[in-house]
């Protein structure tokens, strides 16, 4: 053995990851450096930089874990440039859990380098001050609705006041649908009987953004579920799932939110926990990851996550009724990353769309490539998010009238894309289209 090599092997290097929930050796040590993941990684495709690829990120995390690199920008930037889209996991022959490694590494950065100044204040306000508290979240919804309905929005737009906002926020403001007057959590009864014979009971997880901006989709989800023999219950004490906190590295806050939801939902008699937002669904299914060092809650989290289903997954599992009424639309489908890569749900939404008379489903090339939404990535990394959105819009097949998907973040991002292209494409949740068919059937 050469002398330098021998010296290094004798050194006890100190890991750069010193805080709880450090990246797990069992996860990074299985990477065989094959590189199959490079070609599917959106950031590698855009930047051509190995450090911004799954293999590069896994290697940087391993090196920092082993004390060969400090926790500085050389590690932090690639860890935060990652979309956490998990496309790499779909193709990885070794089953490397890149998403979990990235989230664990972000947790270390969260402890080591807490965001300061305005960025830190905004982060704290949203991650800890608003999202974990349903009443404050509702207040944000009410204020947004007031802004939209009172004439303030029209005045702000006319006066040019909105020019002070960053471009990405200006575009979000332009596309934000009218916020419904009530959330589904408030407006739906606690128990909604199924139509016909009961197949099972499903507890509806209403989510945060979904229930503020798209609560009509939650109501449609409840209608579609009961139409198909599922008794729906709506546990009123539920809170946001904590996915945004996990993505930002605030694992302690996410754990508290997960514990609350686990206790609330396990106390119900539901056979299933049903969700229509891909990012939240993935987070709920992965709650056990947050309790590696807590055997009591780990076991409860396992029981909880075993019941979680995306609505499309559940409908196919219990056997849904194909609608009889026609919805004449030519539709393409975008695979939300956290539905297709994280939850492996690909065929079920297509099966649902194809079952609707009058629907023509046209496959989109690269339908499972990230649209750039990725939680709050489109706000923290607007340039990369913008490039990915352009590629997504380029892939929309000619002649379609509607893009269907199963995640509110993707819906808002793709609405921005539609706005930029000045087209009149509809952006809808898969369940809205099925609900429309059932409702037409009821009116026939
Ligand atoms: S595909 Fe998997 S094993 Fe191969 S380099 Fe990528 S992460 Fe490592
Ligand atoms: S999660 Fe997505 S962006 Fe991150 S390394 Fe994997 S493919 Fe690339």
């Amino acid at each position: 053995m050469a002398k330098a090599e021998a010296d290094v092997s004798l050194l006890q290097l100190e890991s750069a990851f010193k805080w709880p929930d450090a990246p797990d050796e069992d996860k990074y040590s299985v990477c065989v450096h094959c590189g199959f993941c490079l070609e599917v990684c959106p950031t590698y495709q855009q930047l051509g930089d190995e450090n911004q690829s799954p293999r590069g990120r896994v290697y940087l995390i391993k090196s920092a874990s082993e004390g060969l690199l400090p926790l500085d920008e050389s590690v932090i930037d690639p860890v935060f440039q990652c979309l956490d889209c998990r496309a790499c996991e779909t193709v990885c022959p070794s089953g490397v859990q890149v998403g979990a490694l990235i989230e664990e590494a972000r947790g270390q950065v969260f402890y080591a380098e807490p965001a300061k100044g305005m960025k830190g204040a905004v982060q704290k306000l949203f991650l800890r001050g608003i999202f974990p508290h349903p009443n404050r979240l509702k207040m944000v919804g009410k204020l947004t609705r007031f802004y939209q309905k009172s004439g303030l929005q029209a005045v702000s737009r006319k006066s040019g006041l909105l020019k002070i906002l960053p471009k990405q926020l200006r575009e979000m403001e332009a596309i934000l649908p009218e916020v419904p007057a009530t959330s589904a959590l408030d407006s739906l009864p606690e128990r909604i009987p199924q139509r016909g014979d009961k197949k099972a009971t499903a507890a509806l997880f209403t989510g945060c953004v979904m229930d503020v901006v798209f609560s009509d989709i939650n109501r449609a989800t409840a209608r579609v579920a009961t139409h198909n023999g599922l008794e729906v219950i709506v546990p009123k004490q539920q809170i946001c799932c904590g996915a945004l906190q996990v993505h930002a590295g605030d694992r302690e806050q996410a754990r508290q939110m997960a514990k609350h939801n686990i206790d609330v939902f396990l106390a119900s008699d539901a056979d299933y926990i049903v969700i229509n937002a891909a990012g939240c669904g993935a987070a709920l299914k992965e709650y056990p990851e947050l309790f590696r060092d807590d055997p009591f809650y780990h076991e409860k989290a396992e029981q909880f996550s075993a019941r979680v289903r995306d609505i499309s997954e559940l409908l196919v599992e219990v056997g849904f009724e194909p609608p009889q009424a026609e919805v004449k639309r030519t539709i393409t489908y975008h695979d939300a990353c956290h539905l297709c890569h994280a939850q492996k749900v690909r065929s079920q939404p297509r099966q649902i769309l194809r079952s609707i008379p009058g629907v023509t489903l046209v496959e989109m090339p690269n339908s499972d490539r990230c649209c750039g939404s990725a939680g709050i990535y489109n706000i923290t990394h607007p340039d990369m998010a913008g490039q990915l959105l352009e590629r997504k819009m380029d892939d929309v097949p000619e002649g379609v009238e509607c893009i269907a998907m199963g995640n509110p973040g993707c819906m808002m991002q793709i609405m921005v894309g539609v706005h930029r292209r000045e087209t009149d494409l509809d952006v809808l949740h898969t369940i809205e289209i099925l609900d429309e068919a059932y409702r037409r059937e009821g009116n026939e």
Side-chain angles (χ1 to χ4, degrees), residues 7 15 57 100 113 116 152 172 180 189 226 249 273 279 301 326 348 353 360 416 420 428 439 441:
D7 288 347
S15 171
R57 290 179 174 120
E113 309 244 333
K116 296 185 187 79
L152 257 180
M172 284 285 173
T226 52
I273 297 161
E326 261 201 352
Q348 297 91 328
L353 290 170
T360 306
V416 169
R420 280 187 192 168
L428 294 173
R439 290 213 276 172
E441 201 172 294

Side-chain angles (χ1 to χ4, degrees), residues 30-37 54-55 58 88 91-94 96 98:
V30 290
C31 174
V32 294
H33 317 296
C34 63
F36 287 170
C37 52
R55 182 171 67 183
V58 171
C88 44
V91 298
C92 176
S94 299
V96 179
V98 180

Side-chain angles (χ1 to χ4, degrees), residues 333-389:
Y333 178 74
H334 158 70
D335 285 283
C337 301
H338 282 86
L339 203 49
C340 68
H341 299 304
Q343 299 186 56
K344 313 294 178 208
V345 173
R346 286 174 184 261
S347 63
Q348 297 91 328
R350 290 174 168 83
Q351 200 176 324
I352 287 171
L353 290 170
R354 287 202 177 99
S355 77
I356 303 171
V359 164
T360 306
L361 182 63
V362 182
E363 282 293 342
M364 178 193 293
N366 308 304
S367 64
D368 63 354
R369 183 164 57 205
C370 182
C371 63
S373 166
I376 54 165
Y377 191 93
N378 50 0
I379 297 167
T380 57
H381 295 81
D383 291 344
M384 176 62 72
Q387 289 170 32
L388 295 177
L389 179 57

Side-chain angles (χ1 to χ4, degrees), residues 118-356:
M118 186 53 100
K119 189 181 167 206
V122 171
Q123 195 179 61
K124 213 169 159 195
L125 175 71
F126 280 95
L127 297 184
R128 296 199 168 194
I130 294 181
F131 278 95
H133 307 282
N135 286 337
R136 297 181 198 169
L137 206 54
K138 260 182 243 165
M139 186 51 69
V140 172
K142 281 195 173 27
L143 289 173
T144 310
R145 186 174 162 82
F146 175 77
Y147 167 76
Q148 291 175 325
K149 303 284 282 182
S150 64
L152 257 180
Q153 183 174 48
V155 172
S156 312
R157 285 179 179 177
K158 250 191 202 154
S159 66
L161 195 67
L162 296 173
K163 286 195 183 123
I164 59 168
L165 292 176
K167 181 177 173 233
Q168 199 66 13
L169 288 182
R170 269 200 324 270
E171 288 181 324
M172 284 285 173
E173 192 276 344
I175 59 91
L176 194 70
E178 189 180 303
V179 171
T182 55
S183 67
L185 193 57
D186 282 346
S187 62
L188 289 175
E190 222 156 320
R191 197 169 281 270
I192 314 169
Q194 76 288 347
R195 190 185 67 121
D197 292 340
K198 181 165 143 184
K199 291 176 180 165
T201 300
L204 179 65
F205 197 97
T206 51
C208 53
V209 173
M210 185 55 104
D211 212 29
V212 169
V213 182
F214 299 111
S215 62
D216 290 337
I217 299 176
N218 276 336
R219 285 182 273 269
T221 301
R223 279 193 298 272
V224 162
T226 52
H227 187 94
N228 284 290
L230 292 163
E231 179 192 35
V232 170
I233 58 171
V234 187
K236 297 289 177 177
Q237 301 306 317
Q238 62 180 288
I239 61 171
C240 159
C241 67
L244 287 179
Q245 284 75 3
V246 174
H247 293 167
D250 191 353
R251 295 176 75 83
E252 197 40 58
Q253 181 64 45
R255 236 188 310 273
Q256 285 179 29
M257 295 160 79
K259 279 184 179 175
H260 178 93
N261 283 325
I262 289 169
D263 290 340
V264 166
F265 279 85
L266 288 188
S268 78
D269 58 354
D271 305 297
Y272 297 104
I273 297 161
V274 66
I275 175 89
N276 52 27
C280 312
L284 298 179
K285 287 181 178 178
E286 290 165 4
Y287 268 177
E289 273 287 319
L290 289 170
F291 299 103
R292 270 182 4 205
D293 303 322
D294 180 343
F296 179 70
Y297 264 97
H298 189 271
E299 197 188 323
K300 289 180 88 171
E302 293 274 10
Q303 290 168 21
F304 174 96
S305 59
R307 296 184 200 176
V308 178
R309 301 283 188 284
D310 181 74
I311 178 65
S312 63
E313 192 180 18
L314 181 57
L315 289 174
V316 170
E317 193 171 319
V318 299
F320 74 100
E321 185 184 291
Q324 303 299 311
E326 261 201 352
V327 177
K328 269 205 154 312
R329 275 179 190 270
T330 307
I331 297 175
T332 193
Y333 178 74
H334 158 70
D335 285 283
C337 301
H338 282 86
L339 203 49
C340 68
H341 299 304
Q343 299 186 56
K344 313 294 178 208
V345 173
R346 286 174 184 261
S347 63
Q348 297 91 328
R350 290 174 168 83
Q351 200 176 324
I352 287 171
L353 290 170
R354 287 202 177 99
S355 77
I356 303 171

